[in-house]
Amino acid sequence: MLCRAACSTSRKLVPALGSLGSRQKHSLPDLQYDYGALEPYINAQIMQLHHSKHHAAYVNNLNVTEEKYQEALAKGDVTAQIALQPALKFNGGGHINHTIFWTNLSPNGGGEPKGLIPLLGIDVWEHAYYLQYKNVRPDYLKAIWNVINWENVSERYMACKK
Amino acid sequence: MLCRAACRKLVPALGSLGSRQKHSLPDLQYDYGALEPYINAQIMQLHHSKHHAAYVNNLNVTEEKYQEALAKGDVTAQIALQPALKFNGGGHINHTIFWTNLSPNGGGEPKGELLDAIKRDFGSFDKFKEKLTAVSAGVQGSGWGWLGFNKDQGRLQIVACPNQDPLQGTTGLIPLLGIDVWEHAYYLQYKNVRPDYLKAIWNVINWENVSERYMACKK
């Protein structure tokens, strides 16, 4: 079931159709807080690299891949379409996952949900924590609970429960 | 054919009572700072004493559990342990090779039969270098780029393996040179710019070791 309305922050990633019906590109969403806002749990250097480099690369590469996919589709080239699937999954998945992740975090986060089951992603790629926590992933996992945006997670659940 | 001498297969020695001894973290043949400025000391220390050490410890724990499951004839438990064995066993194998593939006196180009084989199978050393770099850069997520030897076909091959999947165990190719592209291998120094790490690492490749491995597997 698709999440709509209240799940505005979890809008299914569909680039809008322009007036001529041509597909518009995906774009890097802005964070709702500064890069340093989640300190000391996740530091500013990580947030800046993670958002402006890693997520940005997924967005750019997704757009390139969708462009190529469009061409393959138009030519009826099934082999090419299949060859593009891994790049679509990797970059499309990266874009979806990080778009959700930024909204799952907040400087006003932490505490406990009010009786609801969360819908929440925890990025455990090394780039998400290494500069600050090095090899000690468990310390990052301990810290991140201080910045979980329960409002957002609850919205997602409520909207998807319908 | 097993690779001996230069490419010893990881087999813990049997003690006098036939009990299995544990795997252990091999020492580096150089200081943590020896590969600067290409790979810094902080990375080398974390990579060796934390990451590789964890694979060794977890491999020993897993083998212990596997031994018990084997003794009880518990096939379900054995199969459940397979991912941990592949991950930690692969991690131990891969890093043990990796440390020997690097040297403060490395860099430049290989000589002799290895160079001949590289020219034969890739066209030129530069083309080989480009290809291994591209394959390593293209790994999605965590994994390794490998130069391996295909015994059946008698030729060199470049492949990527995901996570800590060991080259020989999963593809049959004999590992000669591995490039670790897990983020922990470069992030502290190169951040998200994996290509810069891949450019730098060629300055510390230990061609003597790679040649030894090649000569041993060619027999």
Side-chain angles (χ1 to χ4, degrees):
Chain A
M1 187 192 319
L2 295 182
C3 298
R4 305 230 179 226
C7 277
S8 58
T9 45
S10 48
R11 193 177 302 113
K12 199 169 155 206
L13 285 171
V14 178
L17 289 179
S19 55
L20 294 177
S22 59
R23 195 186 56 79
Q24 284 173 18
K25 295 184 177 205
H26 298 278
S27 57
L28 182 68
D30 289 328
L31 300 190
Q32 295 306 297
Y33 40 82
D34 290 338
Y35 285 138
L38 304 183
E39 303 236 357
Y41 308 107
I42 303 176
N43 74 26
Q45 188 187 23
I46 286 179
M47 291 304 290
Q48 178 166 18
L49 282 166
H50 202 174
H51 177 256
S52 72
K53 301 288 181 188
H54 290 275
H55 188 175
Y58 292 128
V59 171
N60 295 338
N61 293 333
L62 173 60
N63 285 328
V64 167
T65 306
E66 278 193 346
E67 196 73 50
K68 292 182 183 170
Y69 200 96
Q70 184 91 316
E71 289 169 19
L73 205 52
K75 285 192 240 165
D77 187 340
V78 177
T79 299
Q81 285 179 59
I82 292 172
L84 287 166
Q85 283 179 342
L88 214 99
K89 182 186 210 179
F90 183 71
N91 293 294
H95 182 31
I96 290 171
N97 294 342
H98 287 83
T99 298
I100 294 172
F101 189 52
W102 307 132
T103 68
N104 282 164
L105 306 175
S106 164
N108 309 313
E112 293 182 16
K114 315 265 189 287
L116 300 175
I117 299 164
L119 292 176
L120 162 62
I122 313 262
D123 190 346
V124 289
W125 280 61
E126 286 171 331
H127 62 241
Y129 62 89
Y130 207 87
L131 291 176
Q132 186 170 356
Y133 296 97
K134 310 296 187 293
N135 59 302
V136 194
R137 190 190 289 180
D139 281 358
Y140 158 70
L141 293 175
K142 225 179 298 187
I144 200 169
W145 291 99
N146 291 284
V147 289
I148 300 301
N149 181 359
W150 290 116
E151 271 187 42
N152 170 263
V153 183
S154 296
E155 267 178 34
R156 294 172 180 283
Y157 177 68
M158 293 310 289
C160 296
K161 240 188 9 144
K162 294 180 190 125
Chain B
M1 186 196 317
L2 297 180
C3 290
R4 309 264 170 188
C7 28
R8 195 174 301 113
K9 198 168 155 210
L10 284 171
V11 178
L14 288 179
S16 54
L17 296 176
S19 59
R20 195 185 55 80
Q21 281 173 21
K22 298 184 174 203
H23 298 279
S24 58
L25 182 67
D27 289 327
L28 299 189
Q29 296 305 298
Y30 40 82
D31 291 338
Y32 286 138
L35 305 183
E36 302 235 359
Y38 309 109
I39 304 176
N40 73 25
Q42 187 187 27
I43 287 179
M44 291 303 290
Q45 178 166 20
L46 282 165
H47 202 175
H48 177 256
S49 73
K50 300 290 181 188
H51 290 274
H52 188 177
Y55 292 129
V56 171
N57 295 338
N58 294 332
L59 173 60
N60 285 329
V61 166
T62 305
E63 278 192 347
E64 196 73 49
K65 292 182 183 167
Y66 200 97
Q67 183 92 315
E68 289 169 21
L70 203 53
K72 286 193 239 164
D74 188 340
V75 178
T76 300
Q78 284 178 62
I79 291 172
L81 286 165
Q82 284 180 342
L85 212 100
K86 181 187 213 180
F87 183 67
N88 294 294
H92 182 29
I93 289 170
N94 293 339
H95 288 84
T96 299
I97 295 170
F98 189 51
W99 309 133
T100 70
N101 283 162
L102 305 174
S103 163
N105 310 311
E109 297 189 9
K111 301 195 277 268
E113 293 196 44
L114 176 59
L115 183 60
D116 292 342
I118 285 175
K119 286 178 177 170
R120 180 197 66 211
D121 295 333
F122 300 105
S124 70
F125 175 74
D126 281 341
K127 288 202 193 131
F128 149 74
K129 187 173 160 179
E130 256 176 58
K131 177 147 200 211
L132 182 53
T133 297
V135 165
S136 302
V139 172
Q140 290 181 341
S142 308
W144 291 70
W146 286 101
L147 170 65
F149 181 68
N150 185 326
K151 281 196 328 281
D152 294 337
Q153 298 172 17
R155 64 181 181 103
L156 299 171
Q157 264 182 261
I158 288 173
V159 298
C161 289
N163 302 313
Q164 292 298 351
D165 288 8
L167 183 70
Q168 188 169 2
T170 58
T171 71
L173 298 177
I174 311 295
L176 303 181
L177 167 61
I179 312 266
D180 189 349
V181 290
W182 278 65
E183 285 172 331
H184 64 239
Y186 62 89
Y187 207 86
L188 291 176
Q189 186 172 353
Y190 295 98
K191 309 296 187 295
N192 59 300
V193 193
R194 191 192 287 179
D196 280 358
Y197 159 68
L198 293 174
K199 228 178 295 185
I201 201 170
W202 292 99
N203 290 286
V204 288
I205 300 300
N206 182 356
W207 289 115
E208 272 185 39
N209 172 265
V210 183
S211 295
E212 265 177 35
R213 291 176 178 280
Y214 174 65
M215 296 307 290
C217 299
K218 242 188 10 137
K219 295 180 189 127

